[in-house]
Structure formats: structure tokens, C-alpha cells
């Protein structure tokens, strides 16, 4: 049975020979101590590695350039909307992909140029569409009514909007059902049976410039064949669209690539990198002559972040030992929301090991970070890190129980 907190001595997040976790050159425990001195709200906090963000982006970019593909790499802001992170990604050449008007405002504040931004959403409201159209943002239309709403705003503003049709290809991404967005039962996208109606609306509208097709079939996808199947379906739609006389520019295949959250304890689970994903679809994209749009979130930012927390106390009942920490479901909601796994490790040396359920102080039985895992034995006040917390943690955080929201 592997010990949960087994350290890694190499990489951006690495453990020193004397047992302290480092993020790049910073000892995490020192940062935790400094924060604690500065504020009574100094724990828990998120800590990110700029170097890891760069490595994750380069994995995509190097493959895209190697295959000589025209592309737009649009980071999905919903994964983590930290302004500093957005600016780092902008400097690395990414654009941004948005799911709300407020995300669009933030992307503008971060300095992204708006004509390469992409706006998604199955229930866009009037003001959000107005903001996107005003700033020439590309819009993925999610339904027939969405096309009507976007068209009506563009007409009122006297603008021509660049529109992509978000298709629902009914493909099983082999993930938790909450994360499957391209299957027939999902609320997202236009079914193939409505494609002709959608083309009829977009084609006859002087305020719409139909520039592409889009799909995003899910998140945490680990099977590369799923992406190839998606691209094949999209190219089949593109042939149909061409047959109707449209000449599209973009093929947007969304995001969705998973990461190996269990890599610390299960080394042989092979999950493709961004570069390997590109390698697997490059031939088909090249043949189409279309510009590829990608919308990755998790695969860019998850591995670059940790939640740094502290042990409040340890309690035992007849069946379990509970490690009660100051981090909780209000910072890392994924375990409670979809039974997701996050690796947990101590950030400082201790001796011995024992099995614990790691729980937070929130008044909910669902408030757990890990169930019955083996950890080095911590002391009260001991620091620990919840790994791979860069995506869908800070951006999903709340102040439930009137906790201070950690972002
Ligand atoms: C439309 C859209 N694009 C991109 C993403 C990013 O997905 P991921 O973080 O899995 O790469 C999402 C998230 O589910 C999404 O809904």
C-alpha cells in the first residue's frame, strides 16, 4: 500500500532531502509561516508555480508549431480566474475563453485583445451578448434561441458578429456524468438534427458571420481516442456545412484534457499531455485547412497550484482517525462534488505513518478532502498541501458557513 504523502524529489513542486515541500525555489512552510504572521486569515491559501504554467502551455504550443497548424490557444478562464495567472497566460501567447460577461470584463482587464476571445454559454443574457458583440468577441452559439438572441443584439448594435455553432456530437467522453457535456442527455450544444435549421438562421442573417464550428464534449478526459472521434464528427459536420455553401475558418474542439491526479501513487496511469493530444489530431486538422481553436483549462493550470493548509486537530472514533484541517470543501470542492481525488502531502518532515480521513471545519458530512488515506503522522499546526488544486478550486470556492473566501 503506497504512503499517500510520498514525496517527489524532482519537478517544480519537490521535497528537499530533509523533508520540506518546495514550490520552485520557495520553501512552502516558510511562506505559510510568513502569511500566518501577516494575517489571522493567512491560512489556507493557494500557491501557484509560474514555471509549471509555462511548461503546460509549451506542451501545446510546441506541438502546434511542430505540425505547422494555424491555431488559437484559448485558456478557459472558468478553470482559474486569478488576474495574475491570466496576465501570465496572455504573455505566453494564449487568448481566453469565457463563460460569462464578468469573465469577459476580467479578460479585458487582464489585457487580452478582444477579437481573439471566445464567449461560450448555454444561457447568455442580453447584457453579456451586448458586451461580447460590442468588443468583437467570437461567440459560440449554443442553441437555436441563442442564435436568435445574438442576432437581435447584433442588429440593434449595427454590428456583424463572428459566430461559431456549438455542436453536440453525442460522444461519451468516459468521465463523471457532471463533466460530460457532449452527450445527447447534456444541456449543451446543437444536436445534428438542428444543424440545417441553425445554418438557415445564420446564413440568412446579415448581422452574422458564420466563422466556425465548436464543440466541448467534457472535462477530465483521459482517452485520446475520444478526441479523435470528436474531431472526425466535427469534420463530417464541416463537410455538410461546406455542401450548404458556407466557407468556415475555425474548428474549435474545446478543452477537456484530464491530468493524472493520482500520479504520486499510481505511476503507470498514462494520460496524454497537451502535446500528445495535438499529435493525435494534427493530421485531420491539417487536412481540413481550418484554423484550430483549443479551449484548455485544467491541463494548463491544475498541476500549477496547491492549497496550503494546516492541521487544526486529530480525533478518533471506533472506525477512523480524522485529520481536521483549516482547508475545506469551500476551497477544494471537487472531492465533495464529484468524488474527485486530490493528492495530499505534509509540507514538513514528521515520522511514522497512519491512516486518516482528511476533513475540513465546514458543517457538512460531505466536507472531506480525502477518505481513509495513509499519511505521515502530523502534529497540530503541521502544514499540508493539497496537490493539483490549480483548476476548479479557487474559481469554485465559496464563503459557505461564512468562511473567508480563499481565492
Ligand atoms: C465550453 C468549455 N470550454 C472549455 C472548458 C475547459 O475544460 P477543461 O478545463 O477540462 O480543459 C470548459 C470546461 O468544462 C467548457 O465548458
Amino acid at each position: 500500500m503506497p504512503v499517500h504523502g510520498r514525496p517527489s524529489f524532482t519537478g517544480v513542486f519537490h521535497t528537499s532531502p530533509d523533508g520540506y515541500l518546495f514550490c520552485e525555489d520557495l520553501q512552502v512552510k516558510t511562506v505559510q509561516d510568513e502569511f500566518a504572521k501577516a494575517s489571522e486569515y493567512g491560512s489556507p491559501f493557494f500557491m501557484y508555480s509560474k514555471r509549471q504554467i509555462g511548461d503546460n502551455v509549451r506542451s501545446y504550443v510546441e506541438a502546434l508549431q511542430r505540425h505547422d497548424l494555424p491555431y488559437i490557444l484559448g485558456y478557459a478562464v472558468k478553470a482559474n480566474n486569478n488576474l495574475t495567472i491570466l496576465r501570465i497566460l496572455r504573455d505566453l501567447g494564449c487568448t481566453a475563453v469565457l463563460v460569462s460577461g464578468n469573465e469577459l470584463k476580467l479578460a479585458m482587464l487582464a489585457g487580452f485583445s478582444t477579437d481573439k476571445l471566445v464567449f461560450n454559454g448555454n444561457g447568455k443574457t442580453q447584457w453579456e451578448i451586448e458586451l461580447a458583440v460590442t468588443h468583437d468577441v467570437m461567440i459560440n452559439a449554443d442553441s437555436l434561441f441563442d442564435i436568435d438572441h445574438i442576432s437581435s443584439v447584433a442588429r440593434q448594435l449595427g454590428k456583424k458578429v463572428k459566430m461559431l455553432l456549438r455542436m453536440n456530437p453525442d460522444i461519451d467522453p468516459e468521465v463523471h456524468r457532471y463533466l460530460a457535456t457532449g452527450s445527447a442527455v447534456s444541456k449543451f450544444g446543437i444536436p445534428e438534427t438542428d444543424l440545417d435549421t441553425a445554418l438557415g438562421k445564420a446564413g440568412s442573417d446579415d448581422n452574422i458571420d458564420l466563422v466556425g464550428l465548436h464543440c466541448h464534449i467534457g472535462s477530465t478526459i483521459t482517452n485520446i481516442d475520444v478526441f479523435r472521434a470528436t474531431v472526425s464528427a466535427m469534420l463530417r459536420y464541416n463537410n455538410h456545412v461546406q455542401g450548404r455553401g458556407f466557407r468556415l475558418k475555425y474548428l474549435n474542439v474545446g478543452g477537456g484534457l484530464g491530468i493524472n491526479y493520482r500520479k504520486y501513487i499510481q505511476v503507470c496511469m498514462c494520460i496524454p499531455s497537451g502535446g500528445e493530444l495535438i499529435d493525435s489530431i494534427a493530421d485531420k486538422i491539417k487536412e481540413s485547412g481550418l484554423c484550430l481553436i483549443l479551449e484548455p483549462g485544467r491541463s494548463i493550470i491544475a498541476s500549477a497550484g496547491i492549497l496550503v493548509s494546516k492541521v487544526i486537530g486529530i480525533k478518533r472514533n471506533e472506525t477512523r482517525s480524522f485529520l481536521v484541517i483549516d482547508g475545506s470543501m469551500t476551497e477544494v470542492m471537487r472531492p465533495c462534488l464529484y468524488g474527485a481525488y486530490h493528492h495530499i502531502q505534509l509540507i514538513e518532515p514528521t515520522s511514522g505513518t497512519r491512516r486518516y480521513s482528511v476533513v475540513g471545519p465546514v458543517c457538512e458530512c460531505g466536507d472531506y478532502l480525502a477518505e481513509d488515506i495513509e499519511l505521515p503522522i502530523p502534529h497540530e499546526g503541521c502544514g499540508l498541501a493539497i496537490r493539483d488544486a490549480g483548476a476548479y478550486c479557487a474559481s469554485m470556492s465559496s464563503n459557505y458557513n461564512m468562511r473567508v473566501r480563499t481565492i
Side-chain angles (χ1 to χ4, degrees):
M1 174 66 70
V3 177
H4 201 76
R6 191 180 61 179
S8 150
F9 297 107
T10 56
V12 168
F13 292 97
H14 59 277
T15 304
S16 61
D18 57 351
Y20 287 92
L21 180 68
F22 278 70
C23 171
E24 301 185 15
D25 299 331
L26 280 177
Q27 193 193 71
V28 178
K29 181 70 186 159
T30 310
V31 178
Q32 184 177 53
D33 291 344
E34 290 300 317
F35 276 15
K37 270 189 245 158
S39 160
E40 62 179 307
Y41 300 120
S43 181
F45 61 91
F46 288 101
M47 189 168 177
Y48 299 101
S49 160
K50 187 175 176 182
R51 205 165 91 202
Q52 187 67 59
I53 297 172
D55 289 350
N56 295 344
V57 170
R58 273 187 293 278
S59 175
Y60 279 99
V61 170
E62 283 171 9
L64 288 159
Q65 291 177 344
R66 190 166 3 96
H67 292 285
D68 197 21
L69 292 175
Y71 69 89
I72 291 177
L73 185 59
Y75 166 71
V77 172
K78 65 186 276 198
N80 189 316
N81 52 32
N82 179 296
L83 187 57
T84 305
I85 290 175
L86 295 187
R87 288 185 169 137
I88 290 169
L89 288 164
R90 180 207 59 197
D91 291 347
L92 286 166
C94 292
T95 69
V97 170
L98 320 155
V99 291
S100 72
N102 284 337
E103 283 192 356
L104 171 51
K105 287 183 187 174
L106 191 73
M108 290 195 284
L109 185 65
F112 288 98
S113 79
T114 54
D115 61 341
K116 293 277 168 23
L117 299 177
V118 182
F119 182 35
N120 278 294
N122 69 307
K124 305 173 188 82
T125 59
Q126 169 100 4
W127 77 265
E128 292 177 311
I129 299 172
E130 276 172 15
L131 191 66
V133 173
T134 303
H135 291 280
D136 299 318
V137 171
M138 288 188 264
I139 305 187
N140 291 334
D142 183 86
S143 60
L144 299 179
F145 80 72
D146 203 24
I147 298 175
D148 292 339
H149 292 183
I150 296 163
S151 157
S152 132
V153 169
R155 199 174 327 113
Q156 280 162 28
L157 294 176
K159 301 268 294 186
K160 193 154 187 145
V161 58
K162 284 173 287 165
M163 181 185 284
L164 293 86
L165 299 178
R166 176 171 183 167
M167 300 302 298
N168 181 324
D170 191 17
I171 289 175
D172 176 9
E174 304 169 15
V175 298
H176 188 284
R177 69 189 178 93
Y178 292 178
L179 298 169
T181 53
S183 49
V185 292
S186 151
K187 67 175 181 176
F188 296 101
I190 298 169
E192 187 173 355
T193 46
D194 279 346
L195 177 56
D196 278 327
T197 315
L199 291 174
K201 282 177 181 289
S204 60
D205 192 323
D206 288 344
N207 295 101
I208 295 177
D209 183 10
L210 188 66
V211 294
L213 294 173
H214 167 255
C215 73
H216 170 76
I217 61 157
S219 196
T220 69
I221 301 168
T222 56
N223 181 356
I224 207 119
D225 295 341
V226 167
F227 289 106
R228 278 185 70 83
T230 304
V231 170
S232 297
M234 295 299 285
L235 292 176
R236 191 165 51 76
Y237 298 147
N238 182 47
N239 284 341
H240 180 80
V241 174
Q242 273 185 347
R244 293 276 314 262
F246 293 87
R247 289 290 166 267
L248 302 183
K249 191 165 170 205
Y250 299 109
L251 194 73
N252 182 340
V253 299
L257 181 62
I259 66 150
N260 189 354
Y261 285 98
R262 294 179 187 267
K263 55 186 169 286
Y264 316 89
I265 55 171
Q266 202 178 330
V267 274
C268 57
M269 189 179 173
C270 291
I271 295 186
S273 63
E276 286 163 336
L277 163 61
I278 300 303
D279 290 342
S280 77
I281 59 171
D283 55 342
K284 290 175 188 281
I285 304 291
K286 191 112 210 191
E287 210 181 299
S288 76
L290 294 168
C291 174
L292 178 64
I293 302 182
L294 295 155
E295 304 184 338
R298 186 185 313 273
S299 51
I300 299 287
I301 199 64
S303 62
I306 58 175
L307 182 78
V308 184
S309 180
K310 245 183 213 160
V311 175
I312 296 176
I314 302 166
K315 70 190 270 189
R316 294 189 180 87
N317 65 20
E318 282 184 7
T319 59
R320 286 205 168 177
S321 290
F322 292 99
L323 203 59
V324 184
I325 67 172
D326 60 5
S328 75
M329 65 186 276
T330 60
E331 294 78 40
V332 179
M333 201 209 267
R334 300 184 64 256
C336 134
L337 190 60
Y338 15 71
Y341 175 90
H342 277 271
H343 185 73
I344 298 180
Q345 71 183 101
L346 304 189
I347 62 173
E348 55 189 297
T350 68
S351 54
T353 67
R354 190 169 280 158
R355 297 193 76 76
Y356 299 97
S357 286
V358 182
V359 300
V362 170
C363 195
E364 287 287 336
C365 286
D367 178 28
Y368 70 93
L369 287 308
E371 281 193 293
D372 195 28
I373 55 164
E374 184 136 3
L375 269 180
I377 299 172
H379 52 83
E380 282 189 11
C382 191
L384 63 162
I386 291 113
R387 298 291 301 267
D388 300 317
Y392 304 106
C393 290
S395 59
M396 283 183 156
S397 71
S398 75
N399 72 336
Y400 181 44
N401 282 201
M402 290 191 77
R403 284 167 60 80
V404 172
R405 187 168 168 232
T406 306
I407 50 167

